[in-house]
Amino acid sequence: MTTFSDDFETFSGWSAGISQSTTTVHGGTHSGLVSAANGTAIATKSLGYTHTFSNGGYTKAWVYYYGIGGAASVMIAGEFNATDGGYAAMIHQNGNLYARRYDDASHFTNLQNAAVTLVPGTWYLLQVDWDFGGAGKHRFTCYDSDGTTVLQQFTLTTADTTYTSSTVFGVTQNSTAPYIDDISAYDGVAGGGTTVNATVGGFTWGGLS
């Protein structure tokens, strides 16, 4: 059992490319700001540990939607190199929720998309449920600002099994640096470890210190 969470109130353990911000926040007094176009943020404490995701596993994060001129996406779990990548739920300025497969920070494949009505200047909760409809058929959801109302949701009609495990949680984006907040992930593997809730005071992946 492996969990990850971060509310950015205490900032540590991330790679270059992300900073702590007080400008725009979802909860508390801090958020994370990915600082460059096609930027990448990696939770460095989990490097070297591979986590296999299965049905029941998920990644979710709050993202701030700019509207025209900006876009944001949340990487489910992946290390950006030649052999490791991951899947992302992305809300785009063109009014669509995208399911993307990222092979590194700037190379991706759009797997599926659907229209969603979004209001600029609003926080939305994006979630990816691993293998929800079977192996490689992940479910992608955009929740409204209340965190419960589903604005758009779909499960991949064509399975993509390029990635089934990864070593880190990452965040990537396009066009405009996004604010992110209150991230959590669970690998879906019951037992075999201790679930750590580290949303206060930084983050922990699978109990690593």
Side-chain angles (χ1 to χ4, degrees), residues 132-173:
F132 182 85
K137 292 187 175 183
H138 315 309
R139 184 174 68 176
F140 298 78
T141 305
C142 177
Y143 292 95
D144 205 351
S145 56
D146 61 5
T148 58
T149 302
V150 176
L151 296 180
Q152 183 56 266
Q153 184 179 76
F154 58 80
T155 301
L156 292 180
T157 55
T158 301
D160 190 300
T161 57
T162 305
Y163 303 112
T164 58
S165 64
S166 60
T167 57
V168 293
F169 181 95
V171 177
T172 188
Q173 49 79 214

Side-chain angles (χ1 to χ4, degrees), residues 2-203:
T2 304
T3 61
F4 172 102
S5 60
D6 196 356
D7 62 2
F8 296 98
E9 295 304 301
T10 299
F11 188 74
S12 64
W14 288 89
S15 67
I18 186 172
S19 59
Q20 190 181 42
S21 176
T22 58
T23 303
T24 302
V25 300
H26 172 257
T29 58
H30 296 83
S31 63
L33 176 63
V34 183
S35 57
N38 293 317
T40 303
I42 297 174
T44 56
K45 286 185 180 180
S46 62
L47 287 171
Y49 294 82
T50 299
H51 306 295
T52 300
F53 284 77
S54 62
N55 186 11
Y58 63 82
T59 295
K60 56 185 177 181
W62 287 90
V63 300
Y64 184 77
Y65 179 66
Y66 286 96
I68 300 299
S73 64
V74 176
M75 194 72 175
I76 181 172
E79 182 178 1
F80 303 118
N81 58 38
T83 58
D84 296 298
Y87 301 93
M90 177 193 179
I91 47 176
H92 195 278
Q93 62 188 22
N94 64 10
N96 277 269
L97 170 66
Y98 281 90
R100 283 184 170 180
R101 184 187 72 235
Y102 279 86
D103 297 309
D104 58 35
S106 57
H107 295 88
F108 61 85
T109 300
N110 286 325
L111 302 175
Q112 197 167 317
N113 65 281
V116 60
T117 300
L118 303 170
V119 178
T122 303
W123 285 90
Y124 293 101
L125 178 62
L126 300 183
Q127 181 165 336
V128 181
D129 294 291
W130 200 279
D131 291 344
F132 182 85
K137 292 187 175 183
H138 315 309
R139 184 174 68 176
F140 298 78
T141 305
C142 177
Y143 292 95
D144 205 351
S145 56
D146 61 5
T148 58
T149 302
V150 176
L151 296 180
Q152 183 56 266
Q153 184 179 76
F154 58 80
T155 301
L156 292 180
T157 55
T158 301
D160 190 300
T161 57
T162 305
Y163 303 112
T164 58
S165 64
S166 60
T167 57
V168 293
F169 181 95
V171 177
T172 188
Q173 49 79 214
N174 293 269
S175 304
T176 303
Y179 292 97
I180 58 174
D181 210 348
D182 298 324
I183 295 173
S184 61
Y186 168 56
D187 65 1
V189 180
T194 302
T195 300
V196 177
N197 184 341
T199 57
V200 177
F203 79 90

